[in-house]
Amino acid sequence: MNSTTTGSHAAYFTFRDQLLGPLRTTVLTGRQLCEAGRLIYGRPEGLSLYGIPAPEMETRGIQLLGRTTIECSIDPYSAAVADAVADLHTTTPQGSGAMVVDLFCGSGNFGLHLGRRLALPVYASEFDPVVHDTTRNNLDRIGSTVELHLLDYRDLLGKLPARSDHDTYVVEPPWGPAFTADGLDLTRTSPPVPEILDDIRRSRDGLPCYIAIKTNDQIAHDSLTRSFTGAQHLRTITPTPTLPHGANMDFHLYRLGSGANG
Ligand SMILES: C[S@@+](CC[C@H](N)C(=O)[O-])C[C@H]1O[C@@H](n2cnc3c(N)ncnc32)[C@H](O)[C@@H]1O
């Protein structure tokens, strides 16, 4: 790592602390969104959601909170995962009635891409009213059909019994204390990933499904494999890193069966 890179990475970590701290529930200005794009993805346009790059967000009426700007899955990453899921869905019978469920939707961008690519309805839950309201605004601005609920993910699961073995769930809980110097511990997210998977299994009455999950590129204590014990790993998508090891995103696809080991 050269000194310029080190300097920009230090600026990233300082900005990250602000976005998750004092600016956590503040709608960012156009200028701040461009700065986020530059520091996280190397250029202002690197931050792009709903097909709208950061330099255009303010004029297009898109609102992003500090926390969502850090937590979101940007367009190219979400689109790559949606392509991979579409590959797996090639055998979906027409009219299977499958659905996409974005349980911790934040910006809603991940579910949006999956729903569009798979041509399936999307149901999304977000329980922080401030995040929910900005996402509601954004989805309205772009004319999205994502069905957004101000709900705890468990309540959304309770409303959505399984429809098809091609149902796909997006699992992206906040990392909080799970993000440690040793890496991301998926058994310590809030709620822990194994607990979320159990909730999904319970809601499906034995029918298998697909799971898409985001991690960073440094997993602690083998916690991803341990969380998905018995499930089938299908793909891992690794976007080109823009930050130091441990701060970049990876995406994983799993096939979740019905039992405690699947
Ligand atoms: C990591 S972010 C998700 C980012 C999202 N995938 C995106 O692309 O913007 C996690 C989100 O889950 C929400 N959340 C946390 N606990 C929740 C719960 N129990 N039920 C529903 N939403 C929850 C948080 O408020 C936060 O907005």
Side-chain angles (χ1 to χ4, degrees), residues 30-47:
R31 204 184 159 128
Q32 287 170 319
L33 291 168
C34 289
E35 183 67 347
R38 194 176 67 73
L39 290 174
I40 307 171
Y41 304 106
R43 58 199 181 98
E45 300 78 11
L47 173 65

Side-chain angles (χ1 to χ4, degrees), residues 228-239:
F228 281 89
T229 300
Q232 183 189 2
H233 175 256
L234 300 170
R235 302 263 171 96
T236 288
I237 294 124
T238 303

Side-chain angles (χ1 to χ4, degrees), residues 67-68 71-73 103-108 125-128 131 151-154 172-174:
R67 69 172 294 187
T68 310
E71 293 175 337
C72 67
S73 295
L103 292 174
F104 302 85
C105 81
S107 67
S125 46
E126 171 56 56
F127 83 166
D128 179 330
V131 178
L151 275 183
D152 184 278
Y153 79 98
R154 284 161 281 234
E172 285 196 10

Side-chain angles (χ1 to χ4, degrees), residues 238-252:
T238 303
T240 306
T242 57
L243 292 167
H245 181 59
N248 299 287
M249 295 178 198
D250 284 342
F251 297 85
H252 314 269

Side-chain angles (χ1 to χ4, degrees), residues 15 19 23 26-30 32-33 36 58 62 64-66 69:
F15 195 48
L19 295 184
L23 296 176
T26 301
V27 174
L28 299 192
T29 62
Q32 287 170 319
L33 291 168
E58 195 169 34
I62 298 300
L64 279 192
L65 304 176
T69 303

